[in-house]
Each structure stands twice: as structure tokens, then as C-alpha cells.
């Protein structure tokens, strides 16, 4: 699978997970979380090339995709990722809450989505 295909798989499954959560379907949401988790693991395994590929999602049209990509890119693209998370964290709902939690974990020093 190419880096571009992995990025697309990541984005599609983040969207699908959130849609399942909003429907109250945790089982399907978890299935999609595993799929985007596998995609991001493969991207990060490619080192900076994979991180750079994932970084295109920092400008994705959907906030949930931007936030999830930013959460995984905090160590590598700190300023850009924090800006995405800080903007999203101003809102209300599940995605802004996720952004707030990612920022909190980063500030506490307990963030570990891409330890390097």
C-alpha cells in the first residue's frame, strides 16, 4: 500500500468511526478505530516520509480528520499540530473534547502517540 493510500485509509476510517459513534454504534466505531490505527502505525513505521504524508491531513476539510492527524503529529510537527488542536478545542462536542485531551496530555508530558 502506498503512503497516499495509507493516508486515505486513515482519513476514511476516522470519518467512519465518528459517524458510527454519532449513531451509537460503538462496535462499528471500534472496528474503524482499529483500521485507522493500523494505517497510522504503517505510516509512522516509514519514518519522516510517513509523517510528512500524514501531515497533509492537517488541512483536511473535516475537523475530526484534522484533529486525529494532529494528535499523531504533535512530536513531529508541534507548532502546526498544536494550532489545529487549539482551534478545534474551542468548539463543543466529541471532536473538540478529543482535541482538548490531546493538548492536555501533551502539556502533561504523557502524550505517546508517536514517541519517536
Amino acid at each position: 500500500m502506498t503512503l497516499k493510500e495509507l493516508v486515505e485509509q486513515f482519513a476514511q476510517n476516522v470519518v467512519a468511526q465518528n459517524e458510527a459513534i454519532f449513531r451509537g454504534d460503538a462496535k462499528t466505531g471500534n472496528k474503524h478505530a482499529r483500521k485507522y490505527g493500523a494505517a497510522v502505525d504503517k505510516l509512522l513505521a516509514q519514518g519522516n516520509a510517513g509523517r510528512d504524508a500524514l501531515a497533509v491531513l492537517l488541512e483536511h476539510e473535516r475537523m475530526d480528520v484534522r484533529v486525529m492527524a494532529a494528535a499523531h503529529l504533535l512530536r513531529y510537527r508541534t507548532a502546526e499540530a498544536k494550532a489545529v488542536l487549539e482551534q478545534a478545542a474551542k468548539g463543543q462536542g466529541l471532536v473538540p473534547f478529543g482535541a482538548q485531551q490531546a493538548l492536555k496530555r501533551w502539556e502533561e508530558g504523557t502524550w505517546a502517540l508517536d514517541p519517536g
Side-chain angles (χ1 to χ4, degrees), residues 10-11 14 22 26 35-36 39 45 47 59 66 73 87 99 108 115:
F10 177 88
V14 168
F22 290 129
K35 287 182 179 180
Y36 77 69
E59 297 180 12
R66 288 191 309 269
L73 291 168
Q87 181 62 36
E108 291 174 342

Side-chain angles (χ1 to χ4, degrees), residues 1-115:
M1 197 173 275
T2 67
L3 293 178
K4 184 177 180 182
E5 290 168 334
L6 288 169
V7 169
E8 289 171 6
Q9 183 180 15
F10 177 88
Q12 290 169 355
N13 282 287
V14 168
V15 170
Q17 180 200 29
N18 282 311
E19 289 174 352
I21 289 169
F22 290 129
R23 287 192 313 270
D25 184 354
K27 183 178 179 182
T28 299
N30 289 337
K31 178 183 82 168
H32 289 293
R34 285 189 295 277
K35 287 182 179 180
Y36 77 69
V40 80
D41 287 347
K42 290 175 185 173
L43 285 164
L44 297 178
Q46 297 298 312
N48 290 346
R51 290 177 185 92
D52 287 337
L54 184 62
V56 302
L57 296 180
L58 294 175
E59 297 180 12
H60 195 272
E61 63 190 13
R62 288 185 58 119
M63 182 194 315
D64 52 356
V65 174
R66 288 191 309 269
V67 165
M68 193 61 68
H72 284 85
L73 291 168
L74 271 167
R75 184 185 60 80
Y76 182 66
R77 295 269 185 107
T78 305
E80 293 168 80
K82 279 183 74 176
V84 167
L85 294 169
E86 288 167 351
Q87 181 62 36
K90 294 176 185 176
Q92 302 258 335
L94 185 62
V95 175
F97 177 75
Q100 293 163 10
Q101 292 302 302
L103 288 166
K104 181 178 179 183
R105 301 296 170 257
W106 178 255
E107 290 164 10
E108 291 174 342
T110 59
W111 174 92
L113 293 177
D114 180 20

